[in-house]
Amino acid sequence: MDLQQLQRQAIAVHDLYDELNLAERGRIWDRQDFMLGFMGDAGDLAKLVMAAEGTRTMPGGRAALEHELADCLWSVLILAHRYEVDLPAAFMRSMTELEEAIGARLDGR
């Protein structure tokens, strides 16, 4: 599955959440709500990484870690969608810039 397929599935789930939130709360999430949700997921992921490294206790084990990684990816895909960012192009651009910058530093050692 490529990134565009992942984004299409993420958007389908996003649309279902819009329906659910509208039905249950009378409003849908805006971009800020998605960012705050992502921050919550990132915090949960941090706790699970700490548990995987033995520095804290958290229930769920590997399955919970996988779930939170997927939640964080979903949030990034949705934020890119909501801000109309071509994520594959932005990723490739950023990775190329990093490769060049790191390569230049390594060459200058």
Side-chain angles (χ1 to χ4, degrees), residues 1-108:
M1 186 173 279
D2 68 18
L3 192 56
Q4 290 173 335
Q5 290 172 307
L6 292 174
Q7 192 159 36
R8 281 193 295 275
Q9 187 167 6
I11 292 167
V13 172
H14 163 277
D15 293 345
L16 288 172
Y17 269 127
D18 275 357
E19 285 183 49
L20 181 64
N21 284 324
L22 196 56
E24 291 183 349
R25 294 174 188 85
R27 68 179 285 271
I28 60 173
W29 278 24
D30 61 20
R31 295 184 301 189
Q32 183 174 309
D33 292 322
F34 281 105
M35 186 62 218
L36 292 172
F38 174 53
M39 295 306 298
D41 289 338
D44 292 342
L45 177 59
K47 293 173 190 173
L48 289 163
V49 167
M50 291 175 71
E53 296 301 320
T55 56
R56 78 176 292 149
T57 303
M58 282 286 289
R62 174 84 182 185
L65 178 67
E66 291 175 1
H67 176 86
E68 285 308 320
L69 282 166
D71 278 354
C72 286
L73 178 58
W74 180 81
S75 293
V76 169
L77 293 168
I78 292 306
L79 286 164
H81 168 68
R82 296 294 296 262
Y83 282 96
E84 298 178 1
V85 171
D86 180 345
L87 196 54
F91 182 84
M92 292 306 296
R93 233 180 2 262
S94 293
M95 293 303 105
T96 298
E97 291 168 2
L98 286 171
E99 286 174 345
E100 290 170 359
I102 292 167
R105 288 178 65 185
L106 288 171
D107 290 343

